[in-house]
Amino acid sequence: MDLNFKATELSLALPGTEDLPDNNTTTTSPNPIIKTTNKRPSPDMTPTETDESRAAPQPKAQVVGWPPVRSYRKNVLHGKKAEAETGSGMFVKVSMDGAPYLRKIDLKVYKSYGELMKSLEGMFACIIGLYSENEGYNGSKHAATYEDKDGDWMLVGDVPWDMFVTSCKRLRIMKGCEARGLNL
Amino acid sequence: MTQSFPEEVLEHVFSFLTSHTDRNAVSLVSKSWYDTERWCRDHVFIGNCYAVNPRVLTRRFKEVKAVELKGKPHFADFNLVPEGWGGCVDPWIVEMGRVYSGLEEIRLKRMEVTDEGLEMVAKGFGKLKVLVLASCDGFSTDGLAAVAANCRNLRVLDLRECEVEELSCHWLSHFPDSFTLLESLNIACLSSEVSFSALERLVSRSPNLKTLKLNRTVPLEKLSTLLQRAPQLVEFGTGAYSAEGLDAYSSLAEAFSGCKKLKSLSGFWDVIPAYLPAVYSVCSQLTSLNLSYATTQSPDLSKIISHCHNLQRLVVLDYIEDTGLETVATSCKDLKELVVFPSDPYVADANVPLTEQGLVSVSQGCTKLHSVLYFCRQMSNSALVSISKNRPNITCFRLCILEPRSPDYLTLEPLDTGFGSIVENCKQLTRLSMSGLLTDRVFEYIGKHAKKLDMLSIAFAGDTDLGLHYILSGCDSLRKLEIRDCPFGDKALLANASKLETMRSLWMSSCFVSFGACKLLGQKMPRLNVEVIDERENLNSIPENVPVEKVYIYRTVCGQRFDMPDFVRIMGKDKADVYNLS
């Protein structure tokens, strides 16, 4: 079927150059660079499937957002109050003063304050020092605080890690000057 | 040409137009009709909050009583839109608060709502009667407390499928004792306990209460108390439908039998089958039944359904099995809408006796069936052809075969002809979601036949850009297209650029659309926002021919938006890309 692509095409190429590859291949570079991250499993993107090729089902890796069922439905079989999106994760919101949006992290992923701080620094591109008795927040511009189960705002680092993980409800990265007002 | 009708006459004529599509059409007739119409439109619908902005709204319409706003794209429901993407309602509330002091109804879908926003609503709109938050998040019970405390005229508080940060169970107590106007309360999405005494007092002093949807934590033993206080209920959602022993049974059955106006039932978490017969007395009244949390077996489900002769809408788990759906086909002759959710979506070969046959049975027996959402594990072309021939009146057909790219299980062929038959026979089809093994051919059928199709969802389908081209060039009525994991790329997109301006939005994720094409599209089409949503690091160093993770393209009169997180870029505005300046 002649769709007369050329007549309507907004070509990426300079005018007058040869047409792009024919219809049986994809339109982008043959080996798209998909940087793998740990955010989601790579979907199978090979473009070469034809009608006859697919007899065996896909591998069993869980694909993000598939099947298209809302998170709260996934817990129907598995007991009452569960963190809807995450199963057994312990997601808390993280805000940073001055940042226009919040992030969410799973505290269960970290084993220590050091790991947590590194991750937060990476997320918000700032330097947060770990508070220590002797040096305070060590000249850093920001301080990490958290809201505990009682609704109080506490400085991150005071209590043992395990106690922190179970009592932390949300995190807030304060500007260092405000944190200093906490009489550190 | 002078106007032939005085404005007052035109306004009166327009007042009979309630659909916003008609209102929009009328406003395009002439400048004077546009002006007349905008002065008297009081219900405004905005399907994509970024297609306009708050100032555009308030500049055009002066006396708005009801506003409906939608934010995130539909695939946000399945976690495909990263958190922080946008869709915050606060700027809208600020601007509307400034201009629409008489605002009575706010309906939001997939928007981010903050506690501060809810406080502004509560204190800024004294006449507010209706607050519906559908699939919204970002707020806590503190915001709800502010609404309860301040909205003296509230009739409807509906939190359908929201994610609420539940800080306190006492927010319901913030409704003043003098507040008696409540007509509808839906708190089914809350996972923590609410104060039952506050709930009971609220129900007792609300003689107009018609809709009450409880959450899972309200125990079954307390249901009869509530029902006795509100026998006038039309829609009721239970909490967890289980109890120790059967002591609560007879009072519950009696309470239900007192509800002469009850038409809709839902809830039924953790169902104990022995308690199901308590609702038998109302079954013949029911037009809507949602058993999608009822994890009980087919015989129990079939029994209750067999009593529901007037049912129009049924939502159920695949526990119903093919046999249960046969019961539906014989008992529910008025059925218009069927939804079957999967009980165990992640188990590949769960031995669930629900197959394509169940849907075929319902399509045979229920002549009024027009809307289907069906999750199953196998499908055949012959079944789809049968369904399409049985029910050419289907307007919404959403089929999800759990395993991506599953072929016809009988012939191992693609399901092209089956879906082709659906679009060919169901000439009024407005919404279609497809799954299974599908080649470019199915898109050829869709482009050729689906002329009324308004919304199309595609996943793991197609072979080449031709597939996308068929859709964009053939589907005359298409407004919403969402695609994931398909080998569609730049060519079809760029060749059909002007089509995109006739649509509300196009979503493509895990496809082959390149950065370069997005930039080009954004440059060529000033009235489209081409949003690349990509969470990889070092985006600036990725070559232009590399596919983006996700792209969301929508028409807009506003161009740039100013609330983008770092993983969202609007491509092609200005000479170079416009990156978020933060």
Side-chain angles (χ1 to χ4, degrees):
Chain A
M1 171 179 298
D2 179 7
L3 292 161
N4 203 8
F5 261 134
K6 290 210 185 83
T8 54
E9 188 169 334
L10 296 175
S11 175
L12 287 178
L14 294 170
T17 50
E18 255 318 296
D19 195 4
L20 298 168
D22 68 52
N23 284 339
N24 280 338
T25 64
T26 64
T27 57
T28 57
S29 128
N31 293 309
I33 304 158
I34 309 294
K35 187 168 184 183
T36 51
T37 67
N38 58 0
K39 294 195 189 76
R40 58 181 171 84
S42 289
D44 178 12
M45 290 196 20
T46 51
T48 53
E49 295 165 26
T50 59
D51 296 358
E52 300 82 47
S53 65
R54 275 285 162 191
Q58 280 286 83
K60 276 300 154 279
Q62 229 181 77
V63 177
V64 170
W66 190 268
V69 174
R70 300 284 306 272
S71 314
Y72 60 79
R73 291 207 168 276
K74 294 173 188 168
N75 295 311
V76 168
L77 294 185
H78 307 302
K80 294 190 183 182
K81 185 168 156 54
E83 182 74 34
E85 279 156 347
T86 65
S88 59
M90 198 172 264
F91 276 72
V92 297
K93 283 186 185 173
V94 186
S95 63
M96 171 154 143
D97 291 353
Y101 58 93
L102 279 64
R103 301 298 294 266
K104 240 184 188 170
I105 56 172
D106 181 357
L107 288 180
K108 283 229 165 106
V109 158
Y110 307 103
K111 310 266 182 319
S112 69
Y113 282 118
E115 283 184 19
L116 171 65
M117 292 311 211
K118 263 192 109 182
S119 175
L120 289 178
E121 282 173 22
M123 241 184 224
F124 287 99
C126 58
I127 306 295
I128 316 170
L130 250 190
Y131 177 71
S132 81
E133 283 289 343
N134 301 327
E135 295 161 30
Y137 260 83
N138 211 5
S140 71
K141 293 207 191 115
H142 299 89
T145 62
Y146 70 100
E147 187 183 2
D148 71 2
K149 280 192 169 137
D150 302 321
D152 299 318
W153 284 93
M154 318 282 290
L155 201 59
V156 169
D158 285 344
V159 303
W161 172 254
D162 290 324
M163 193 187 290
F164 165 75
V165 166
T166 51
S167 59
C168 171
K169 280 176 48 190
R170 61 188 297 172
L171 283 156
R172 177 184 162 202
I173 302 175
M174 293 173 77
K175 290 216 174 54
C177 48
E178 278 181 48
R180 271 185 271 287
L182 291 177
N183 227 1
L184 299 179
Chain B
M1 186 187 111
T2 54
Q3 187 161 297
S4 24
F5 287 128
E7 226 173 81
E8 304 82 57
V9 175
L10 260 187
E11 267 190 38
H12 182 68
V13 171
F14 292 168
S15 69
F16 293 97
L17 299 174
T18 46
S19 119
H20 59 269
T21 344
D22 290 342
R23 282 266 176 176
N24 290 344
V26 144
S27 69
L28 293 176
V29 167
S30 68
K31 181 98 181 26
S32 60
W33 277 43
Y34 175 90
D35 281 332
T36 305
E37 196 280 322
R38 70 180 257 261
W39 282 102
C40 68
R41 189 187 307 204
D42 60 11
H43 278 58
V44 178
F45 169 80
I46 296 170
N48 173 9
C49 63
Y50 290 119
V52 289
N53 66 33
R55 274 297 283 148
V56 169
L57 170 68
T58 54
R59 261 203 319 260
R60 181 172 174 186
F61 300 113
K62 292 302 173 190
E63 291 210 18
V64 174
K65 293 222 173 63
V67 75
E68 186 175 347
L69 271 169
K70 295 189 182 180
K72 298 177 206 171
H74 173 234
F75 275 176
D77 285 356
F78 316 121
N79 302 326
L80 287 181
V81 178
E83 191 160 327
W85 170 83
C88 185
V89 77
D90 290 9
W92 293 89
I93 298 175
V94 167
E95 178 64 10
M96 292 193 300
R98 196 179 65 78
V99 178
Y100 301 145
S101 54
L103 194 64
E104 294 180 3
E105 302 180 14
I106 298 175
R107 292 179 172 80
L108 306 176
K109 187 167 184 181
R110 283 192 211 99
M111 295 205 77
E112 195 195 310
V113 181
T114 65
D115 285 343
E116 294 72 36
L118 285 176
E119 261 172 76
M120 282 193 283
V121 166
K123 295 183 178 153
F125 300 116
K127 296 197 178 159
L128 193 72
K129 291 186 180 157
V130 173
L131 182 61
V132 176
L133 304 178
S135 305
C136 295
D137 64 359
F139 62 101
S140 76
T141 42
D142 290 351
L144 295 177
V147 169
N150 294 288
C151 296
R152 295 292 152 88
N153 284 297
L154 200 66
R155 310 310 199 238
V156 174
L157 180 61
D158 186 340
L159 308 173
R160 54 181 80 154
E161 302 173 22
C162 287
E163 243 182 76
V164 184
E165 196 176 351
E166 299 175 58
L167 303 172
S168 151
C169 63
H170 294 295
W171 65 273
L172 269 181
S173 322
H174 288 252
F175 282 111
D177 291 337
S178 55
F179 174 72
T180 59
L181 298 172
L182 199 63
E183 292 175 16
S184 172
L185 180 66
N186 178 0
I187 56 169
C189 63
L190 300 181
S191 47
S192 304
E193 269 186 46
V194 290
S195 154
F196 184 78
S197 54
L199 178 63
E200 194 186 342
R201 285 197 309 276
L202 181 61
V203 170
S204 306
R205 64 178 189 276
S206 305
N208 296 326
L209 193 66
K210 301 211 181 29
T211 297
L212 178 63
K213 294 188 179 173
L214 306 170
N215 71 341
R216 197 173 186 168
T217 64
V218 177
L220 180 142
E221 293 89 339
K222 301 250 166 85
L223 292 185
S224 44
T225 318
L226 287 174
L227 289 175
Q228 277 156 14
R229 305 252 185 279
Q232 75 283 2
L233 281 178
V234 175
E235 295 182 316
F236 182 60
T238 76
Y241 204 70
S242 58
E244 304 270 334
L246 284 176
D247 294 339
Y249 182 88
S250 50
S251 52
L252 184 60
E254 203 180 315
F256 270 117
S257 64
C259 297
K260 303 294 184 199
K261 298 194 178 164
L262 200 59
K263 285 204 148 66
S264 163
L265 271 181
S266 56
F268 298 109
W269 284 276
D270 314 314
V271 121
I272 296 241
Y275 271 97
L276 279 176
V279 308
Y280 282 1
S281 58
V282 293
C283 281
S284 58
Q285 299 162 204
L286 293 181
T287 54
S288 171
L289 179 60
N290 187 335
L291 292 167
S292 60
Y293 298 108
T295 51
T296 184
Q297 298 307 309
S298 178
D300 302 309
L301 296 171
S302 297
K303 257 196 116 195
I304 177 176
I305 289 169
S306 65
H307 285 78
C308 300
H309 302 293
N310 290 307
L311 207 60
Q312 294 175 20
R313 180 172 191 265
L314 175 65
V315 185
V316 75
L317 286 173
D318 56 11
Y319 284 150
I320 193 164
E321 301 178 12
D322 290 341
T323 47
L325 288 176
E326 275 165 35
T327 307
V328 172
T330 47
S331 307
C332 308
K333 289 308 190 184
D334 278 349
L335 195 72
K336 293 181 180 164
E337 186 182 347
L338 174 69
V339 175
V340 179
F341 283 117
S343 51
D344 226 338
Y346 300 114
V347 176
D349 290 315
N351 210 357
V352 177
L354 177 112
T355 68
E356 80 284 5
Q357 191 46 52
L359 185 56
V360 173
S361 306
V362 176
S363 75
Q364 272 163 353
C366 302
T367 58
K368 299 185 188 170
L369 184 73
H370 70 75
S371 175
V372 172
L373 169 56
Y374 199 77
F375 285 80
C376 61
R377 287 179 160 85
Q378 67 185 44
M379 187 50 62
S380 66
N381 283 308
S382 54
L384 287 171
V385 171
S386 299
I387 291 164
S388 72
K389 292 194 166 144
N390 291 338
R391 292 277 62 77
N393 50 323
I394 286 181
T395 55
C396 169
F397 190 75
R398 296 154 74 189
L399 178 69
C400 180
I401 307 164
L402 290 176
E403 187 67 41
R405 304 195 184 90
S406 299
D408 177 327
Y409 77 100
L410 294 169
T411 65
L412 295 186
E413 282 173 1
L415 290 170
D416 298 339
T417 39
F419 279 103
S421 187
I422 293 279
V423 294
E424 196 176 344
N425 290 329
C426 304
K427 298 189 178 7
Q428 303 303 316
L429 194 70
T430 53
R431 185 168 181 186
L432 177 65
S433 299
M434 304 193 295
S435 54
L437 183 63
L438 297 163
T439 73
D440 284 348
R441 210 164 344 112
V442 75
F443 299 113
E444 191 183 348
Y445 298 148
I446 294 174
K448 189 171 171 205
H449 293 288
K451 296 305 181 185
K452 300 255 173 94
L453 195 64
D454 172 281
M455 182 170 180
L456 177 61
S457 309
I458 309 170
F460 305 104
D463 305 313
T464 74
D465 264 38
L466 261 188
L468 180 57
H469 177 73
Y470 286 135
I471 300 290
L472 291 176
S473 57
C475 296
D476 299 333
S477 310
L478 194 65
R479 285 184 322 119
K480 289 173 278 183
L481 178 58
E482 48 187 21
I483 301 172
R484 63 162 297 175
D485 294 276
C486 295
F488 299 148
D490 302 343
K491 223 174 178 181
L493 198 62
L494 295 173
N496 291 282
S498 52
K499 168 74 174 177
L500 299 177
E501 248 186 42
T502 69
M503 294 165 54
R504 180 187 293 173
S505 65
L506 165 61
W507 168 280
M508 292 180 73
S509 56
S510 305
C511 295
F512 286 136
V513 180
S514 68
F515 280 95
C518 290
K519 191 158 94 177
L520 189 60
L521 188 61
Q523 283 166 350
K524 297 283 182 192
M525 307 293 294
R527 284 187 301 224
L528 288 181
N529 272 359
V530 181
E531 275 193 25
V532 166
I533 300 166
D534 201 309
E535 292 176 282
R536 287 175 287 191
E537 294 164 12
N538 301 323
L539 277 188
N540 298 342
S541 54
I542 296 185
E544 287 210 332
N545 62 347
V546 167
V548 302
E549 281 184 353
K550 302 166 188 179
V551 62
Y552 180 48
I553 302 167
Y554 52 89
R555 66 181 173 192
T556 178
V557 298
C558 297
Q560 201 54 267
R561 67 167 172 120
F562 297 100
D563 61 348
M564 296 182 292
D566 62 358
F567 53 83
V568 174
R569 288 135 196 263
I570 294 186
M571 307 292 279
K573 302 289 180 231
D574 305 329
K575 285 285 182 247
D577 291 330
V578 179
Y579 294 103
N580 187 26
L581 307 164
S582 60

